[in-house]
Amino acid sequence: MKKYLITGLIIICSSLNFLIAQTASEKMPSPQWWLNSSLTDSVDQYLFHVEGQYSYTKMTGALKNEMHSGSVRLIVRKNIFTNHTDYMIDKMNLMIENLGMSYATESQVFTDYLDVDITSLLFGEAGFIWERDNTLYLENRYSLYAGIGLNGLIYEKHYLKILVAAGRVNQEYTIPVEAYNVAKGAHTEFYIRQNYKYVIDQRFSFMEQAYYLTNMTDSKRYRMGVGLNFSIGIIQPVSFVLGYLYKFDKESELLGITAENTTQTIGINISL
């Protein structure tokens, strides 16, 4: 009898341990939960993700150049709601020694948007964007937008997110622009954003981001950008990042400024 009781207790204890472990694993979020829909996880508590990146470039010789680029991202999730807050800043100091000339530029972008997961693939989004760039004579650009998109794990370790939206944009310049054929006052824009990430393994990942915005009353007025980042893990949570960014802004061309800009970066990323 004792033998059967002991055997029974062992079976019951083993079963309880299995159920506890199973329940705990179900409540754990996926390793890259912020890339996926909240409806693919069964987590009810708040989730937080913080990420920061910094890069520094220096040039010496006849042309002396220093460039600092930094960004920080905070993502908070509760149930089907996920809020993203991003801030990016670039500062460049250029000096032409032979001519005794110096030139300093700065650009900033602040974005805050809320995603609401409708299904495991479909989500709605509403957000706010503020931009400033003295290279483009842009004092302030305010954008309010809303749209709908698709988000999910398209294949093992491959994440894809696409948003289609429309919004109201108003921009102010650092110089008088009455004589220029640029957008003045508030106008409506159509917006497409696409993010793709391939998590190769725990140390290596590749990310591609692209966006396209166009004036809905004049499709010749548009801006776009494509960014590529390859991340190599050093020690948890620090990674070495190689990046490339291409931007085109038609409004800059109308102001007589170079419309195309490319940036190559080598930096450090911290992800928590």
Side-chain angles (χ1 to χ4, degrees):
M1 188 68 176
K2 283 185 178 180
K3 180 181 177 182
Y4 291 115
L5 280 173
I6 293 169
T7 305
L9 285 171
I10 291 171
I11 292 171
I12 291 169
C13 290
S14 299
S15 300
L16 285 172
N17 285 334
F18 174 77
L19 288 171
I20 291 168
Q22 187 71 15
T23 303
S25 66
E26 286 175 358
K27 290 185 177 180
M28 289 296 291
S30 58
Q32 305 256 343
W33 56 264
W34 58 92
L35 300 176
N36 219 339
S37 169
S38 63
L39 296 175
T40 61
D41 294 314
S42 58
V43 179
D44 294 327
Q45 71 264 28
Y46 279 99
L47 295 176
F48 298 90
H49 172 68
V50 181
E51 191 172 315
Q53 187 167 312
Y54 171 77
S55 63
Y56 172 74
T57 306
K58 185 173 183 178
M59 180 189 297
T60 59
L63 287 176
K64 291 185 178 180
N65 179 28
E66 283 190 346
M67 185 172 179
H68 302 265
S69 299
S71 66
V72 63
R73 167 173 294 177
L74 170 64
I75 302 174
V76 182
R77 173 172 288 175
K78 174 66 174 175
N79 296 327
I80 62 171
F81 301 98
T82 307
N83 191 81
H84 302 250
T85 304
D86 298 319
Y87 176 71
M88 293 174 283
I89 183 168
D90 292 325
K91 286 189 174 185
M92 184 182 74
N93 293 304
L94 176 65
M95 182 175 179
I96 307 173
E97 207 168 63
N98 296 338
L99 301 177
M101 296 173 60
S102 62
Y103 185 58
T105 67
E106 181 178 292
S107 66
Q108 300 178 67
V109 180
F110 173 83
T111 306
D112 189 83
Y113 59 94
L114 178 69
D115 286 349
V116 182
D117 293 314
I118 303 166
T119 71
S120 58
L121 287 176
L122 192 66
F123 71 96
E125 180 174 307
F128 167 77
I129 305 172
W130 170 76
E131 300 169 81
R132 174 176 290 169
D133 192 332
N134 56 15
T135 308
L136 306 179
Y137 302 132
L138 191 64
E139 178 67 24
N140 292 297
R141 179 189 281 148
Y142 302 99
S143 307
L144 287 170
Y145 70 91
I148 197 163
L150 296 173
N151 179 34
L153 181 66
I154 57 172
Y155 188 66
E156 186 180 356
K157 299 180 181 179
H158 295 264
Y159 298 87
L160 179 66
K161 187 171 186 176
I162 300 172
L163 173 74
V164 177
R168 199 70 174 161
V169 179
N170 196 0
Q171 50 197 32
E172 304 163 354
Y173 296 93
T174 58
I175 60 171
V177 293
E178 288 75 15
Y180 295 94
N181 184 27
V182 294
K184 304 175 182 71
H187 58 279
T188 306
E189 288 191 342
F190 175 73
Y191 177 38
I192 297 176
R193 187 187 71 224
Q194 176 260 313
N195 295 337
Y196 164 74
K197 185 168 186 177
Y198 175 34
V199 182
I200 302 168
D201 58 28
Q202 291 183 346
R203 291 190 60 206
F204 301 97
S205 64
F206 170 78
M207 177 173 278
E208 176 264 336
Q209 298 173 301
Y211 67 87
Y212 176 83
L213 296 95
T214 182
N215 192 313
M216 293 184 73
T217 58
D218 185 355
S219 60
K220 292 180 181 179
R221 300 177 185 274
Y222 66 94
R223 60 187 190 274
M224 60 174 288
V226 178
L228 305 173
N229 276 289
F230 183 67
S231 178
I232 305 169
I234 304 172
I235 55 170
Q236 188 64 25
V238 182
S239 299
F240 177 70
V241 178
L242 298 172
Y244 171 82
L245 179 63
Y246 168 84
K247 287 183 178 181
F248 178 89
D249 192 328
K250 188 66 175 179
E251 295 292 332
S252 303
E253 194 174 73
L254 297 171
L255 278 168
I257 312 168
T258 303
E260 292 183 320
N261 287 287
T262 59
T263 308
Q264 297 84 35
T265 60
I266 299 175
I268 295 294
N269 179 281
I270 300 174
S271 180
L272 302 172

